Amino acid sequence: RRFGTKCTACQQGIPPTQVVRKAQDFVYHLHCFACIICSRQLATGDEFYLMEDGRLVCKEDYETAKQNDAAEAGAKRPRTPITAKQLETLKNAYKNSPKPARHVREQLSSETGLDMRVVQV
């Protein structure tokens, strides 16, 4: 009992007479071999994704989550428009010192009206 095979999902022991499902080195009870998102029981031949910790995700839920992540990643912050005067000021400052100190960057930020991060980048 103590050292027998355990189900990856529920961590309960699996008797040697019980039918199981395997995914790589992970072993599951039949009822535990299910998607963690929609709880749909996976059958032989179903496509699924196996997470590093042994959790299972059906293909449909995985694709949906992947699309949602891509949509969130695509929501980047808009580019900061820089005027010709601001660009000239920045070029002159970086020509004099390619790696200006923090106080110089702060001064450039106040002179140009640009965010400190924009001045640094």
Side-chain angles (χ1 to χ4, degrees):
R1 244 187 198 192
R2 183 180 279 177
F3 301 107
T5 305
K6 289 186 179 179
C7 174
T8 303
C10 68
Q11 295 299 311
Q12 297 296 315
I14 302 175
T17 57
Q18 194 170 30
V19 179
V20 296
R21 295 238 188 245
K22 283 185 161 190
Q24 291 181 355
D25 294 334
F26 300 108
V27 182
Y28 303 86
H29 291 111
L30 286 179
H31 60 274
C32 292
F33 198 73
C35 174
I36 59 166
I37 297 174
C38 66
S39 301
R40 182 174 67 90
Q41 200 163 10
L42 300 168
T44 302
D46 286 349
E47 293 184 38
F48 63 90
Y49 290 85
L50 180 64
M51 309 306 266
E52 290 177 2
D53 58 0
R55 296 180 301 160
L56 303 165
V57 180
C58 66
K59 184 177 182 179
E60 295 79 22
D61 288 333
Y62 181 82
E63 296 295 330
T64 303
K66 191 173 165 184
Q67 287 174 352
N68 291 343
D69 287 347
E72 288 175 12
K76 294 180 182 175
R77 130 180 218 279
R79 288 181 174 254
T80 305
I82 299 177
T83 64
K85 185 179 180 196
Q86 290 171 329
L87 185 61
E88 189 64 33
T89 305
L90 291 172
K91 279 185 177 181
N92 287 336
Y94 277 88
K95 188 167 59 172
N96 293 338
S97 173
K99 293 184 179 181
R102 181 180 175 90
H103 71 279
V104 175
R105 291 193 313 266
E106 288 172 349
Q107 184 180 357
L108 282 170
S109 176
S110 63
E111 284 177 20
T112 59
L114 296 171
D115 188 48
M116 271 284 290
R117 179 78 179 138
V118 175
V119 171
Q120 186 173 356
V121 171

